[in-house]
Amino acid sequence: MSIKAAKASDRTGEADLHGRPAAKMRRRGACPALAAPMPTGDGLLVRLRPTGGALTLSQFGALARSTAAHGNGILEITARGNLQIRGLRAETVRQLAADIEAAGITVPDGPAIETSPLHGIDPEELSDPAAMEMALRGTLRYLLASPRLAPKLSLVVDGGGSFGLSTLSADIRVVAQSHTDWLVAINGDGETATPVAIGPPKAAISTVGDILSLLADLGQGRRARDIDLTLLRARFPAMDGMQFIPSRAAGVPLAGSHRLEDGKTILGLRPEFGQMRASDLIALLDLANARHATAIRLAPGRGFFLIGLPADTVPAMQIAAAGHGFAAQPGENSEHIAACAGAGACGSAFYETRALARRLIATAPALFDGSLTLHLSGCAKGCAHARPALTLTGSAEGYGLILNGLAADQPDERIAGGRIDFAIERLARAIEDNKGAGESTAACLTRLGATGVSKALRQE
């Protein structure tokens, strides 16, 4: 693992329109890897993905202790199942890197390759995505290291099984079709990506190499969406009309106890809104170790799986986990909220997203029937959620409410800062008053539309 010293901006005299130092502004498209941490409101942020998203309990504990010693003691798990460590400084990034190496945690250079979280232990898996990841990195190491590739280039390797990756969008998707064949598709999730080729591992790896070469030739920062379809068809003439098996989505929430086909039990845990304190994580891991858990698997959906717990210890572990701030049961309302770091943790944010989330769970239960995601974004960048949702963005003037849209969209309604709790309560009441029999919250909001929602919010 190569470690490079992080270089913060030396433009200390510059500021943005809100008077914040330029060093704290986030560059769109940047990826805060260990070699290039990102300045945020609480120091430097590092994002990393251990090989295969897999850690031993001792490795995860070492990472938590290093976070407490060299950062601000807060770790996050992203929507894609990657780790973020906050509150670092330039000199402590090096110390964190040394601790990671000493713990035997391997963080590959180049783009993150996300794999099915239960790879190698899921009896329903069609083929091993971890082996495919290693083959891709070994065969295409020079292409993957190209500085001409976009910093946030995304690759997914989905081996199938109980928790597939169909909801993850990616530049390049490699999806198991059988024990011997893999589908390569680009630019999208399991439903929207464009299939390019199907074949055995060597052919799939060669196809990924061709796509990476196309991206490098297009120029630095280009993504799969920038590849011209005519050029793609000329390179892969068999791509049209291909028959393939789509990625399998998880049929159950991450949090909770899951019994695999071979009888083994795993426990899915979600830190509240994806954020956890190092002290809580260390205490949880000590309990898990005492109950003979053997491994950790990071998972999309801002959580992780505890592997190896005897089935009779799981109920007590769920109770203990809840006491340390981890959702250990399915159906908790926090599952339906995507919240960014918020004010105090990011220099771009205008409000404390997690504090608002907790208030909304308590005061607006009508929003949480599972039919929609509530996206709380401290600014218009939308770091926490890249899909349309019921979104609240922050600005210097207050809040913007967006119906079924992205944080960067124009708000359907603007709400003054001091009226946000009242406005959301009015919205929840309007949903309760207008929802038809069997109608979901999402369907009700769509039917009300911007006009109906605006009318509800303006009523006294």
Side-chain angles (χ1 to χ4, degrees), residues 323-349:
H324 289 289
F326 294 84
Q329 300 283 357
E332 297 194 19
N333 286 339
S334 61
E335 290 182 4
H336 308 299
I337 297 179
C340 73
C346 176
S348 297

mmCIF file of all heavy atoms in Angstrom, residues 323-349:
data_model
loop_
_atom_site.group_PDB
_atom_site.id
_atom_site.type_symbol
_atom_site.label_atom_id
_atom_site.label_comp_id
_atom_site.label_asym_id
_atom_site.label_seq_id
_atom_site.Cartn_x
_atom_site.Cartn_y
_atom_site.Cartn_z
ATOM 1 N N GLY A 323 -27.833 -0.709 22.644
ATOM 2 C CA GLY A 323 -27.350 0.150 23.715
ATOM 3 C C GLY A 323 -26.134 0.971 23.336
ATOM 4 O O GLY A 323 -25.818 1.965 24.002
ATOM 5 N N HIS A 324 -25.457 0.574 22.271
ATOM 6 C CA HIS A 324 -24.284 1.316 21.812
ATOM 7 C C HIS A 324 -24.566 2.107 20.527
ATOM 8 O O HIS A 324 -23.634 2.555 19.853
ATOM 9 C CB HIS A 324 -23.114 0.358 21.586
ATOM 10 C CG HIS A 324 -22.537 -0.193 22.849
ATOM 11 N ND1 HIS A 324 -21.794 0.578 23.726
ATOM 12 C CD2 HIS A 324 -22.623 -1.433 23.422
ATOM 13 C CE1 HIS A 324 -21.439 -0.169 24.763
ATOM 14 N NE2 HIS A 324 -21.920 -1.379 24.604
ATOM 15 N N GLY A 325 -25.843 2.285 20.197
ATOM 16 C CA GLY A 325 -26.196 3.140 19.070
ATOM 17 C C GLY A 325 -26.265 2.448 17.726
ATOM 18 O O GLY A 325 -26.182 3.108 16.688
ATOM 19 N N PHE A 326 -26.453 1.125 17.710
ATOM 20 C CA PHE A 326 -26.538 0.382 16.462
ATOM 21 C C PHE A 326 -27.942 -0.187 16.287
ATOM 22 O O PHE A 326 -28.472 -0.812 17.219
ATOM 23 C CB PHE A 326 -25.525 -0.768 16.440
ATOM 24 C CG PHE A 326 -24.095 -0.324 16.424
ATOM 25 C CD1 PHE A 326 -23.448 -0.006 17.617
ATOM 26 C CD2 PHE A 326 -23.394 -0.215 15.236
ATOM 27 C CE1 PHE A 326 -22.122 0.411 17.624
ATOM 28 C CE2 PHE A 326 -22.064 0.196 15.230
ATOM 29 C CZ PHE A 326 -21.428 0.510 16.420
ATOM 30 N N ALA A 327 -28.530 0.017 15.127
ATOM 31 C CA ALA A 327 -29.804 -0.611 14.817
ATOM 32 C C ALA A 327 -29.544 -2.088 14.547
ATOM 33 O O ALA A 327 -28.753 -2.442 13.674
ATOM 34 C CB ALA A 327 -30.450 0.039 13.602
ATOM 35 N N ALA A 328 -30.206 -2.962 15.305
ATOM 36 C CA ALA A 328 -29.973 -4.398 15.191
ATOM 37 C C ALA A 328 -31.255 -5.146 14.846
ATOM 38 O O ALA A 328 -31.266 -6.373 14.816
ATOM 39 C CB ALA A 328 -29.393 -4.941 16.499
ATOM 40 N N GLN A 329 -32.330 -4.391 14.595
ATOM 41 C CA GLN A 329 -33.601 -4.975 14.220
ATOM 42 C C GLN A 329 -34.079 -4.312 12.927
ATOM 43 O O GLN A 329 -33.841 -3.123 12.716
ATOM 44 C CB GLN A 329 -34.654 -4.746 15.319
ATOM 45 C CG GLN A 329 -34.307 -5.331 16.672
ATOM 46 C CD GLN A 329 -34.529 -6.836 16.725
ATOM 47 O OE1 GLN A 329 -34.994 -7.449 15.775
ATOM 48 N NE2 GLN A 329 -34.188 -7.442 17.868
ATOM 49 N N PRO A 330 -34.767 -5.057 12.069
ATOM 50 C CA PRO A 330 -35.304 -4.439 10.850
ATOM 51 C C PRO A 330 -36.476 -3.530 11.183
ATOM 52 O O PRO A 330 -37.102 -3.641 12.237
ATOM 53 C CB PRO A 330 -35.762 -5.652 10.029
ATOM 54 C CG PRO A 330 -36.064 -6.708 11.049
ATOM 55 C CD PRO A 330 -35.083 -6.488 12.166
ATOM 56 N N GLY A 331 -36.745 -2.597 10.274
ATOM 57 C CA GLY A 331 -37.942 -1.773 10.393
ATOM 58 C C GLY A 331 -37.783 -0.506 11.191
ATOM 59 O O GLY A 331 -38.774 0.195 11.435
ATOM 60 N N GLU A 332 -36.585 -0.150 11.630
ATOM 61 C CA GLU A 332 -36.411 1.099 12.358
ATOM 62 C C GLU A 332 -36.499 2.274 11.391
ATOM 63 O O GLU A 332 -36.002 2.214 10.259
ATOM 64 C CB GLU A 332 -35.086 1.094 13.114
ATOM 65 C CG GLU A 332 -35.019 -0.004 14.171
ATOM 66 C CD GLU A 332 -33.879 0.194 15.146
ATOM 67 O OE1 GLU A 332 -33.377 1.326 15.234
ATOM 68 O OE2 GLU A 332 -33.504 -0.780 15.832
ATOM 69 N N ASN A 333 -37.112 3.370 11.837
ATOM 70 C CA ASN A 333 -37.348 4.504 10.945
ATOM 71 C C ASN A 333 -36.068 5.118 10.404
ATOM 72 O O ASN A 333 -36.060 5.701 9.324
ATOM 73 C CB ASN A 333 -38.172 5.577 11.666
ATOM 74 C CG ASN A 333 -39.629 5.181 11.822
ATOM 75 O OD1 ASN A 333 -40.122 4.328 11.089
ATOM 76 N ND2 ASN A 333 -40.319 5.784 12.765
ATOM 77 N N SER A 334 -34.977 4.996 11.147
ATOM 78 C CA SER A 334 -33.713 5.573 10.680
ATOM 79 C C SER A 334 -33.244 4.927 9.386
ATOM 80 O O SER A 334 -32.439 5.504 8.656
ATOM 81 C CB SER A 334 -32.631 5.435 11.757
ATOM 82 O OG SER A 334 -32.393 4.077 12.067
ATOM 83 N N GLU A 335 -33.751 3.711 9.079
ATOM 84 C CA GLU A 335 -33.385 3.055 7.827
ATOM 85 C C GLU A 335 -33.822 3.863 6.617
ATOM 86 O O GLU A 335 -33.252 3.732 5.532
ATOM 87 C CB GLU A 335 -34.032 1.661 7.745
ATOM 88 C CG GLU A 335 -33.463 0.644 8.709
ATOM 89 C CD GLU A 335 -34.116 -0.717 8.537
ATOM 90 O OE1 GLU A 335 -34.949 -0.855 7.605
ATOM 91 O OE2 GLU A 335 -33.794 -1.627 9.302
ATOM 92 N N HIS A 336 -34.843 4.696 6.785
ATOM 93 C CA HIS A 336 -35.427 5.403 5.656
ATOM 94 C C HIS A 336 -34.954 6.853 5.572
ATOM 95 O O HIS A 336 -35.542 7.658 4.852
ATOM 96 C CB HIS A 336 -36.953 5.353 5.750
ATOM 97 C CG HIS A 336 -37.481 3.967 5.925
ATOM 98 N ND1 HIS A 336 -37.269 2.968 4.992
ATOM 99 C CD2 HIS A 336 -38.165 3.382 6.942
ATOM 100 C CE1 HIS A 336 -37.819 1.847 5.406
ATOM 101 N NE2 HIS A 336 -38.365 2.064 6.592
ATOM 102 N N ILE A 337 -33.889 7.166 6.323
ATOM 103 C CA ILE A 337 -33.309 8.510 6.274
ATOM 104 C C ILE A 337 -31.870 8.418 5.798
ATOM 105 O O ILE A 337 -31.074 7.649 6.332
ATOM 106 C CB ILE A 337 -33.347 9.194 7.659
ATOM 107 C CG1 ILE A 337 -34.784 9.376 8.124
ATOM 108 C CG2 ILE A 337 -32.641 10.550 7.605
ATOM 109 C CD1 ILE A 337 -34.912 10.015 9.495
ATOM 110 N N ALA A 338 -31.546 9.200 4.782
ATOM 111 C CA ALA A 338 -30.158 9.344 4.333
ATOM 112 C C ALA A 338 -29.700 10.732 4.763
ATOM 113 O O ALA A 338 -30.213 11.740 4.266
ATOM 114 C CB ALA A 338 -30.066 9.193 2.814
ATOM 115 N N ALA A 339 -28.790 10.790 5.708
ATOM 116 C CA ALA A 339 -28.334 12.065 6.258
ATOM 117 C C ALA A 339 -26.849 12.233 6.027
ATOM 118 O O ALA A 339 -26.062 11.322 6.304
ATOM 119 C CB ALA A 339 -28.640 12.144 7.755
ATOM 120 N N CYS A 340 -26.452 13.379 5.519
ATOM 121 C CA CYS A 340 -25.028 13.662 5.362
ATOM 122 C C CYS A 340 -24.429 14.005 6.730
ATOM 123 O O CYS A 340 -25.136 14.022 7.743
ATOM 124 C CB CYS A 340 -24.810 14.797 4.362
ATOM 125 S SG CYS A 340 -25.261 16.432 4.983
ATOM 126 N N ALA A 341 -23.139 14.318 6.765
ATOM 127 C CA ALA A 341 -22.472 14.595 8.041
ATOM 128 C C ALA A 341 -23.079 15.797 8.749
ATOM 129 O O ALA A 341 -23.187 15.831 9.970
ATOM 130 C CB ALA A 341 -20.975 14.812 7.809
ATOM 131 N N GLY A 342 -23.486 16.812 7.982
ATOM 132 C CA GLY A 342 -24.158 17.965 8.555
ATOM 133 C C GLY A 342 -23.226 18.989 9.169
ATOM 134 O O GLY A 342 -21.999 18.815 9.222
ATOM 135 N N ALA A 343 -23.822 20.089 9.627
ATOM 136 C CA ALA A 343 -23.055 21.174 10.239
ATOM 137 C C ALA A 343 -22.285 20.655 11.447
ATOM 138 O O ALA A 343 -22.772 19.806 12.201
ATOM 139 C CB ALA A 343 -23.983 22.303 10.646
ATOM 140 N N GLY A 344 -21.085 21.160 11.607
ATOM 141 C CA GLY A 344 -20.209 20.702 12.672
ATOM 142 C C GLY A 344 -19.266 19.615 12.223
ATOM 143 O O GLY A 344 -18.229 19.390 12.851
ATOM 144 N N ALA A 345 -19.621 18.930 11.122
ATOM 145 C CA ALA A 345 -18.751 17.891 10.577
ATOM 146 C C ALA A 345 -18.361 18.190 9.143
ATOM 147 O O ALA A 345 -17.435 17.580 8.617
ATOM 148 C CB ALA A 345 -19.436 16.534 10.651
ATOM 149 N N CYS A 346 -19.041 19.125 8.510
ATOM 150 C CA CYS A 346 -18.720 19.487 7.124
ATOM 151 C C CYS A 346 -18.868 20.983 6.964
ATOM 152 O O CYS A 346 -19.897 21.565 7.345
ATOM 153 C CB CYS A 346 -19.636 18.747 6.149
ATOM 154 S SG CYS A 346 -19.374 19.217 4.423
ATOM 155 N N GLY A 347 -17.853 21.612 6.392
ATOM 156 C CA GLY A 347 -17.859 23.058 6.230
ATOM 157 C C GLY A 347 -18.884 23.567 5.244
ATOM 158 O O GLY A 347 -19.174 24.758 5.208
ATOM 159 N N SER A 348 -19.449 22.669 4.418
ATOM 160 C CA SER A 348 -20.439 23.086 3.435
ATOM 161 C C SER A 348 -21.862 23.047 3.968
ATOM 162 O O SER A 348 -22.773 23.583 3.338
ATOM 163 C CB SER A 348 -20.352 22.188 2.189
ATOM 164 O OG SER A 348 -19.104 22.307 1.557
ATOM 165 N N ALA A 349 -22.083 22.392 5.107
ATOM 166 C CA ALA A 349 -23.438 22.155 5.599
ATOM 167 C C ALA A 349 -23.965 23.350 6.379
ATOM 168 O O ALA A 349 -23.225 24.037 7.080
ATOM 169 C CB ALA A 349 -23.465 20.914 6.476
#
